Amino acid sequence: MNKVSFDFNHIPDLPAFYAEFVRQFGLTDRFGANLDALWDEVTGGIALPVEIDFINLNASRKRRFGALILLFEEAEEELEGDLRLNLLEKPAVKAKG
């Protein structure tokens, strides 16, 4: 399963998220940069399966990006295991080994 992370310390608003989404998934400039276009890409455009981490997503940012989080949560349900969303307040710590 592919893993992609979005660090909300570096994503101040939706346009910045869309730009990072385009970069991470190698989309073209034709991406519509709105919630409808994002839904279309998440549910039928990007390579699946994928695990997506939203990191540094504190309570304030969860409110600011609520529509975005809801979209990914709904896609996670619809895609039945092909998309996994993790909401993390801090980056996951990698185990030493």
Side-chain angles (χ1 to χ4, degrees):
M1 179 177 284
N2 255 355
K3 187 162 187 170
V4 177
S5 296
F6 294 91
D7 184 348
F8 284 82
N9 277 344
H10 305 288
I11 300 173
D13 52 28
L14 277 175
F17 175 83
Y18 294 138
E20 183 63 10
F21 185 85
V22 165
R23 187 187 73 74
Q24 292 260 12
F25 287 101
L27 304 179
T28 68
D29 291 339
R30 297 179 64 196
F31 175 70
N34 60 60
L35 290 172
D36 288 333
L38 182 62
W39 175 261
D40 291 344
E41 287 296 331
V42 169
T43 60
I46 62 174
L48 298 173
V50 65
E51 182 174 359
I52 297 175
D53 289 346
F54 283 4
I55 60 174
N56 292 311
L57 198 61
N58 60 27
S60 172
R61 290 176 181 149
K62 284 179 183 175
R63 284 189 300 277
R64 184 179 326 145
F65 293 100
L68 183 69
I69 294 166
L70 182 60
L71 181 144
F72 276 92
E73 289 174 340
E74 288 179 7
E76 184 176 34
E77 280 185 39
E78 183 164 309
L79 294 170
E80 300 175 345
D82 281 337
L83 183 142
R84 186 177 317 147
L85 175 66
N86 302 306
L87 303 177
L88 307 168
E89 284 196 32
K90 296 181 180 175
V93 176
K94 294 187 181 196
K96 293 181 182 180

